[in-house]
Amino acid sequence: MSNEYRQLLNPETVLSIPLKKTDPVELYLPLRKLVASKYSESDAQKVESVLETLNKCRRDMVERRGDLSLPMQRDCLIHYFKCLCMVEPLFTSLSYDADTDPIIFVWYDAFNPEHEDGVSSERNAIQLEKAAVVFNLGAICSQIAASCDRTTALGRHLSMEAFKVAANFFFKLWKALAKDVVSATLDLTLLFAEFLHLLFSAQASELELQQQLNNNDAGYALQQHRCALAFASVYELYHRAYELIPNDSAARKHVYSFDQTWVTHLHQKVTFFKEEARQRESSILPESEQPDVFSSVISCALDHDAECVTEILVKGICRRLILKPQQIYVDLILSEYNPFKILKDGKLVAYPWDMSPPYQTNSAILSSSLSSSPLSHILAFLPLKKSEPLNLYESLRSYFVLKYSENVAKRVEGLFEKLHKLRNEMLCDDLSLPIRRDCLIRYFRCLCMIEPFFPLNASPNPPIFVWYNAINPQQDSSQHNIHLEKASVLFNLAALCTHIAVSCDLTTIHGHHLAMDALNDALHWLSLLRFESYNKACGTIDLSEQYTRMIKNGIASLKLKFPHPQSVTPYDRSRSGPLAETRPQYHKSKMKTCHVETGPSDVIRQFLLGYCKAHSMLQMVCEAPCLDLLSEVSPVKIKDGNLVANATLEAPNLAMGEHELAGDTTVTFLNKL
C-alpha cells in the first residue's frame, strides 16, 4: 500500500454538509387559535405549553443558530421534531379552515440557496417542514462527526457513530419523507437523500475499518478475512454514492456549484477501495472455514492502553442499544428527566429544549400507601434487593492511577464521581418510586461504561459488591463481579416498576394506563436481567433463571387482573401501533406503547400519538448513546476529551419519600395467584 493510499485510509478530510436555512414563521398564535376553535379553550390551555415550546424551538433554529454549539443545535432540532410531530394533525385542519391564516414554510437549498430553484415555499405543508428538519438533523450529525478529533481513539469512535446517525436520518428522508414534499429543492429529492445516506454510511464504515485494521483479537487468517470483507463493503458504499452524481446532470451541476472537490474526493475513494478490495479478495475464507459467530470489536486496537481509556468507557454505553425502556407512558408521567410531561388533569407540558432537568412530574397519580392497594400481595415476591455501601470512586480512581497514570484518572474521574453519587442515592430509604427508578436507570448506564475494565485484576483493593437476597435477606452474595451489581440493579428496576404499577389509582384512565406500561417496563428489565445473571453472576436465588421466569409469569398474570376503569374504551387486541395494548409477549416485538384511549377527536390523544411516533422513530435512528454524552443535559459529559460530571444539573430531591417500600416477607407469590 503506497503512502498516498495510506493517507486516503487515514483521512484528515471527511465530507459534511451545511444546514438548510429557513425564514421565520409564527406557529403559536395560529395553532392555538385553531385548537380553541376546533376543540375548546380548555383544550387550548392544556396544550399551549407544547405550542410555546414548538415556537421557541423554531425561533432558536433561525435566530440563535450561530450562538449554539453543534450538540446544542442537535438537541434543539430533536426537541423541535418531537413537538412538530405532536401538532401534525392540526395542519390537516388548517388546510380546510378558511378563517385561519395559513402558515407558510420557506426553506432554502443547503448546497445552493441562491439558485433559481433553491427555495421551497408551501402553505400549511408540514411534510416540507418535517423533511427539512430531518435533513438538518442529518447535516448537524455530519458536522459533529467532521469536528471530532479523529487522531484520538475517542474522536474516531464519536465521528464514526455520528456519521452512522447522519446516514440513518438521510435513510429516513429517502425512504419515508422526501416523497411527500411537493415543491422540493434538489437537496430534498430522493436522489440526494440516497446519495447522502450512502456517503455518510461509507465514511462511518471507513472509520470502523480503521479500527478493525488495528484490532488483534483474532487469528491472522480470520483478521485478514474480516478486513477483506470490510474493504469490499466500504468500496460498494462509495461506488454507489459516486455513481448517483455523475450520471445525473442536474445533480452533478448542483454539487459542482457547491464544491467541485467532492466528485474528485469520491473518485479517489472509489479507486482506492476497489483496488484494495480486489487485492484482498483471496483472503476471504470459504464458508466452511468461517466461524459461526463473529465477535464484535468492543475496544480499540491497544485495548486498555492509556490513549484508549476514554474511548473504551464511552463504547461501554454504546454496546447496550436496548438501554432505553420500550415504554413511553411511564416517562411521560413520572420521569424527572423527560422534558415532555402529562400533568394533572391531562395537561401536556413540553419544557424548553435548553432547560435542564429535573422537571415537574405527576407523582400524585400514585397512591400514598402501597399497602392499600388490593393487589399489594404482588410485592411479597418482589421486594427490592438491599446492598452494602461501597466507595466506588476511590476503588476505580486508585485502579486507574495504578494501571495508567494520575493524568488518565483525572480525565475520567467525572464518571467515577457520578457512579459514586448515584450508588449512594440508590441506597437511600427515602426516595420516591419515580426518583429511585430514574436513579437506577442512570446508574445502570454508568455501570455499562466501566464494565469493560472488570475484573480489576491490577487493583490492590478491588470493589466488593455485596447484595442480599430480596426474599430472604439473611442470605447474601459478596463478589468482585460487576455482573452481580448489574443484575441486582436490573432486578430492582423490575421490582420498582411493579411497585409503581400496584400503587397506581386504577379507577382513573391515566392510572390504569400507567400501571400497564409500568408492568411492561418491568418485563423489559427482566429480559435484560437474563443476559447479566445467567452464567455471568452466581448470585442469590432471586437472580436465578427459575425465579425470574416465575416473576415474568406472575407479572403477565397480574396484567390480566387489573380492572379497567369504567370510562376506558375496551382495548382492541387486534390493533397494532403506538396506541395498542402490549401483549405479554411484548418483548418479541419492537412495538412502542402509549395508551391514550379517549375520544377520536381529542386533541390530547392526537398530540400524544404524534409524540409516540416521533419518539419511536428517533429511538431507531439515533442508535448512538455516546452522542448524548455531548449534550448539555447529560449527567456525564464529554468535554475536551474528558469525562466530567455535569455540575449544572440539580440533584434530585431525596426527601420525596411518600412511597414506602414493601417489607421483607417470604410469602410465596404463586400461592396468591
Side-chain angles (χ1 to χ4, degrees):
M1 188 185 299
S2 68
N3 290 334
E4 179 183 358
Y5 277 179
R6 286 186 181 277
Q7 189 174 3
L8 279 173
L9 189 56
N10 296 280
E12 295 182 2
T13 301
V14 291
L15 302 182
S16 63
I17 58 173
L19 274 68
K20 292 174 68 65
K21 294 182 179 180
T22 182
D23 288 345
V25 62
E26 170 63 37
L27 295 176
Y28 172 77
L29 292 176
L31 291 179
R32 194 193 188 284
K33 178 181 177 182
L34 177 66
V35 174
S37 62
K38 181 176 173 61
Y39 301 97
S40 69
E41 175 59 28
S42 175
D43 284 329
Q45 292 175 6
K46 288 182 179 180
V47 300
E48 64 182 352
S49 170
V50 177
L51 302 180
E52 289 170 349
T53 298
L54 173 82
N55 209 43
K56 172 180 164 52
C57 284
R58 200 181 198 285
R59 186 172 62 247
D60 289 348
M61 281 168 35
V62 177
E63 299 175 2
R64 293 182 57 194
R65 179 183 294 179
D67 301 327
L68 302 178
S69 65
L70 297 179
M72 291 177 74
Q73 291 183 56
R74 171 181 174 265
D75 290 347
C76 179
L77 285 165
I78 288 176
H79 212 74
Y80 179 60
F81 184 78
K82 289 180 179 179
C83 291
L84 196 62
C85 290
M86 293 175 79
V87 304
E88 183 174 1
L90 297 180
F91 282 83
T92 302
S93 300
L94 271 176
S95 300
Y96 297 101
D97 193 335
D99 297 329
T100 305
D101 294 333
I103 296 175
I104 301 177
F105 295 113
V106 178
W107 284 91
Y108 298 90
D109 191 289
F111 298 98
N112 192 357
E114 304 300 328
H115 190 269
E116 60 181 6
D117 296 322
V119 59
S120 290
S121 176
E122 295 185 35
R123 295 162 57 95
N124 304 328
I126 196 169
Q127 294 83 4
L128 169 63
E129 186 79 353
K130 287 177 64 178
V133 171
V134 168
F135 181 100
N136 277 358
L137 278 165
I140 203 67
C141 289
S142 77
Q143 292 183 23
I144 291 173
S147 68
C148 294
D149 181 5
R150 292 179 300 283
T151 64
T152 67
L154 175 62
R156 287 190 295 272
H157 178 74
L158 290 174
S159 182
M160 176 184 69
E161 294 297 329
F163 274 132
K164 285 181 180 179
V165 174
N168 289 344
F169 276 118
F170 285 108
F171 182 82
K172 186 69 176 178
L173 182 65
W174 170 31
K175 292 295 185 179
L177 298 175
K179 65 179 184 297
D180 295 326
V181 179
V182 177
S183 60
T185 47
L186 270 175
D187 57 347
L188 290 183
T189 59
L190 293 174
L191 183 143
F192 260 85
E194 181 183 6
F195 165 69
L196 293 171
H197 163 66
L198 293 170
L199 169 64
F200 295 134
S201 295
Q203 292 186 159
S205 298
E206 184 178 354
L207 288 166
E208 194 166 17
L209 172 59
Q210 291 180 43
Q211 289 185 331
Q212 204 165 44
L213 285 172
N214 294 321
N215 181 54
N216 297 313
D217 70 339
Y220 177 80
L222 181 56
Q223 175 72 355
Q224 293 300 306
H225 168 80
R226 289 173 172 175
C227 290
L229 292 177
F231 269 99
S233 176
V234 175
Y235 160 69
E236 179 64 22
L237 289 169
Y238 273 124
H239 174 70
R240 288 172 59 194
Y242 177 73
E243 287 295 309
L244 286 173
I245 299 303
N247 293 333
D248 187 288
S249 59
R252 183 174 65 252
K253 183 179 179 181
H254 205 61
V255 171
Y256 275 16
S257 67
F258 170 67
D259 189 342
Q260 295 186 18
T261 64
W262 270 41
V263 175
T264 303
H265 177 84
L266 288 173
H267 178 70
Q268 290 175 336
K269 290 289 185 181
V270 170
T271 303
F272 167 68
F273 281 102
K274 180 180 181 180
E275 179 62 21
E276 286 295 317
R278 185 189 62 80
Q279 292 183 8
R280 296 169 182 266
E281 191 174 4
S282 60
S283 298
I284 298 178
L285 297 174
E287 190 172 340
S288 60
E289 297 180 25
Q290 296 178 20
D292 293 334
V293 179
F294 288 105
S295 63
S296 59
V297 181
I298 62 172
S299 61
C300 65
L302 301 178
D303 197 19
H304 291 189
D305 185 86
E307 195 266 336
C308 291
V309 164
T310 311
E311 183 222 11
I312 297 169
L313 289 167
V314 170
K315 272 190 171 182
I317 198 172
C318 288
R319 290 190 297 118
R320 278 290 185 187
L321 297 181
I322 47 178
L323 277 174
K324 298 180 180 178
Q326 301 294 312
Q327 280 57 58
I328 296 174
Y329 212 84
V330 177
D331 286 337
L332 279 172
I333 294 180
L334 297 181
S335 175
E336 287 191 323
Y337 290 87
N338 185 4
F340 293 85
K341 284 283 169 286
I342 304 174
L343 296 183
K344 189 176 180 180
D345 300 324
K347 181 179 180 180
L348 290 182
V349 172
Y351 290 98
W353 71 271
D354 52 357
M355 176 180 174
S356 299
Y359 309 109
Q360 181 183 355
T361 64
N362 185 15
S363 57
I365 198 171
L366 302 179
S367 302
S368 60
S369 175
L370 291 177
S371 60
S372 64
S373 170
L375 298 170
S376 60
H377 64 267
I378 183 74
L379 306 182
F381 85 110
L382 265 182
L384 268 67
K385 291 175 67 67
K386 295 183 178 180
S387 177
E388 291 293 333
L390 174 64
N391 192 333
L392 268 180
Y393 174 81
E394 290 297 335
S395 296
L396 290 170
R397 197 183 190 287
S398 61
Y399 168 79
F400 274 70
V401 170
L402 180 65
K403 177 73 174 178
Y404 307 108
S405 68
E406 174 67 25
N407 183 52
V408 170
K410 284 183 177 180
R411 281 166 42 198
V412 298
E413 66 181 352
L415 173 61
F416 305 154
E417 291 171 359
K418 181 58 66 173
L419 265 168
H420 181 65
K421 179 181 178 182
L422 289 172
R423 197 178 197 282
N424 285 342
E425 290 178 8
M426 176 185 77
L427 299 180
C428 291
D429 292 330
D430 57 354
L431 288 182
S432 68
L433 298 179
I435 291 178
R436 188 181 296 276
R437 175 180 174 272
D438 282 341
C439 176
L440 286 172
I441 290 174
R442 289 183 293 138
Y443 180 58
F444 184 76
R445 287 172 176 159
C446 290
L447 286 176
C448 289
M449 295 177 73
I450 65 170
E451 178 186 348
F453 291 90
F454 276 76
L456 307 182
N457 292 326
S459 174
N461 186 30
I464 301 177
F465 303 107
V466 180
W467 284 90
Y468 294 93
N469 189 334
I471 53 176
N472 185 5
Q474 285 70 40
Q475 298 177 355
D476 67 78
S477 181
S478 175
Q479 301 180 24
H480 297 297
N481 190 349
I482 193 174
H483 294 289
L484 171 64
E485 182 84 348
K486 292 176 68 179
S488 299
V489 170
L490 290 170
F491 181 97
N492 277 358
L493 275 167
L496 265 176
C497 291
T498 309
H499 289 207
I500 289 173
V502 172
S503 67
C504 290
D505 182 358
L506 299 178
T507 64
T508 67
I509 295 175
H510 283 311
H512 178 269
H513 294 330
L514 175 60
M516 296 297 291
D517 225 32
L519 290 182
N520 287 331
D521 204 19
L523 291 173
H524 168 75
W525 299 117
L526 288 173
S527 295
L528 291 186
L529 174 58
R530 67 187 183 91
F531 293 108
E532 298 298 336
S533 181
Y534 316 155
N535 303 322
K536 287 186 179 180
C538 299
T540 47
I541 190 66
D542 52 351
L543 298 181
S544 67
E545 181 177 4
Q546 180 182 5
Y547 194 80
T548 53
R549 187 187 302 116
M550 183 192 73
I551 293 174
K552 293 175 74 172
N553 292 337
I555 291 175
S557 299
L558 181 64
K559 289 171 61 178
L560 300 177
K561 291 190 172 188
F562 273 15
H564 290 274
Q566 294 297 320
S567 57
V568 177
T569 304
Y571 287 109
D572 178 1
R573 293 180 179 271
S574 64
R575 185 193 303 170
S576 61
L579 299 183
E581 179 187 10
T582 304
R583 301 181 178 90
Q585 64 269 29
Y586 84 103
H587 55 280
K588 296 180 181 179
S589 169
K590 295 182 179 179
M591 184 192 306
K592 307 293 186 294
T593 63
C594 185
H595 311 295
V596 191
E597 292 291 337
T598 53
S601 62
D602 188 346
V603 68
I604 303 296
R605 179 183 184 276
Q606 293 183 15
F607 272 43
L608 287 177
L609 176 57
Y611 173 83
C612 293
K613 289 179 178 178
H615 180 90
S616 299
M617 192 211 90
L618 290 170
Q619 199 167 14
M620 289 185 290
V621 171
C622 302
E623 293 181 340
C626 62
L627 296 186
D628 292 336
L629 298 175
L630 301 174
S631 172
E632 293 298 321
V633 296
S634 174
V636 178
K637 292 175 55 181
I638 297 174
K639 185 176 181 181
D640 300 326
N642 303 325
L643 288 174
V644 299
N646 193 341
T648 63
L649 298 185
E650 182 181 343
N653 181 8
L654 303 184
M656 295 177 61
E658 71 268 28
H659 303 290
E660 298 296 329
L661 300 181
D664 295 327
T665 176
T666 57
V667 178
T668 304
F669 171 65
L670 292 179
N671 294 334
K672 294 288 185 178
L673 293 179

